Amino acid sequence: MANLDFFSLYKNIIAIPSISSSDSKWDQSNEGVIRLLADWFASLGFQIEVTELAEMPGKFNLVATLGQGEGGLLLAGHTDTVPFDEGRWSKNPFQVTEEGNRLYGLGTIDMKGFFAFIVEALQGLDLTQLKKPLRILATADEETTMAGARTIAEAAEFKPDYAVIGEPTGLVPVVAHKGHMSELIRITGKSGHSSDPANGVNAMEIMHQAMGQVLGLQRTLKEKYADHRFAVPQPTLNLGYIHGGDSPNRICGCCELHIDMRPTPQVGADELFGMLKEALSPIEIHQPGCLHLQHLHDPIPAYACRDDSELVREAEKASGKRAESVNYCTEAPFIQQLGCETIVLGPGHIAQAHQPDEYLDLSFVEPTKAVLQHLVKRFCL
Ligand SMILES: [Zn+2]
């Protein structure tokens, strides 16, 4: 790699589309971005390992390693972006536009652009004297299934001491967030002519009871499980979608409810799912076999970094900002499974993520570079 200036790095990575979406019309491979990153980090002397995810052709993770031994620092991020709102962008999402002290483009802050920051920061350091290894992790499909980070958590053969995920936190160290679960509750009854209730088993009536139980759990969560790190302290439970029956003159044969639950570091996803099952168990007693419960997607666990973490202290010192908790999910719970202290810290504001005309405010460039250099010096040099 010719010694690239920051703007060229940014331009090149944004120019390669890497949308992930559960809608196959939008979903793309991230291979182009992974190959670019392989070039960048190989030219800085890193050893490159690119892995295609099992049963997900075209989706790749990259691990780049510099230095030997155990521990050290991991700088991590995802290579995919969300789809862009057609017609709502005033600029080309894949061509970086500089305007009014901003760089516009899809992924500028969420978060392919972070890898350009890493290269920029490392170009200013003497990396020949590393005492601990420095690793870069670039994952696939964070915006959909988090499959890339899940794979790393299960299969990685390295254990950093510290990890920083460069999602757009406004360069504030983020040390905790809730998780996310989507659950399906289906009641199957028996349809029949409406003129005689004995003709069937009304699924909607049973669902009415089930909803009473679910709302009871919602109250219990609020009363008993507050975690005041979060603006909304309790694990939340939201009734979000319901469909049942097909006609007023038929006994409702099937009714389906979808709910969203947000586990906290204290009340994990498995525990919360167990509470839901328990709350719904009386429904099964009245009508055996009528209840079906399943995850609509694999749960994303909640996450919290240790209060006495040295990484948090150093990140606060370097950024000049106190650590915070947030209300969005990241790959942190999976990266943390590697056994490292993990924080989320990166340039740009989350409010501009997943929005038309996503942009990086250029006032983040120097502070981000300084924070990254501080952490690499502190933990690897
Ligand atoms: Zn992101």
Side-chain angles (χ1 to χ4, degrees), residues 50-64:
V50 172
T51 317
E52 192 166 26
L53 303 191
E55 287 159 51
M56 297 185 74
K59 302 288 188 174
F60 295 85
N61 283 343
L62 170 142
V63 178

Side-chain angles (χ1 to χ4, degrees), residues 58-136:
K59 302 288 188 174
F60 295 85
N61 283 343
L62 170 142
V63 178
T65 307
L66 189 67
Q68 307 291 330
E70 296 293 309
L73 177 65
L74 176 70
L75 300 174
H78 61 85
T79 56
D80 59 321
T81 72
V82 291
F84 58 94
D85 292 295
E86 270 168 313
R88 292 185 58 212
W89 277 71
S90 71
K91 301 171 172 60
N92 182 340
F94 302 108
Q95 191 183 326
V96 171
T97 308
E98 185 172 359
E99 195 181 295
N101 207 40
R102 293 171 176 179
L103 296 184
Y104 290 89
L106 183 61
T108 46
I109 55 152
D110 188 14
M111 60 166 285
K112 289 191 282 189
F114 181 63
F115 296 106
F117 276 95
I118 298 175
V119 173
E120 174 76 0
L122 297 186
Q123 282 179 347
L125 294 174
D126 176 9
L127 298 173
T128 56
Q129 305 299 328
L130 285 189
K131 293 197 178 68
K132 291 277 184 180
L134 172 63
R135 286 190 170 85
I136 314 300

Side-chain angles (χ1 to χ4, degrees), residues 15-61:
I16 305 171
S18 55
I19 291 168
S20 75
S21 172
S22 49
D23 181 346
S24 58
K25 178 169 80 79
W26 278 102
D27 194 53
Q28 297 175 326
S29 170
N30 67 334
E31 185 170 6
V33 171
I34 290 287
R35 297 289 165 211
L36 179 72
L37 293 175
D39 284 351
W40 285 2
F41 289 103
S43 72
L44 288 170
F46 283 73
Q47 290 201 321
I48 309 295
E49 198 182 326
V50 172
T51 317
E52 192 166 26
L53 303 191
E55 287 159 51
M56 297 185 74
K59 302 288 188 174
F60 295 85
N61 283 343

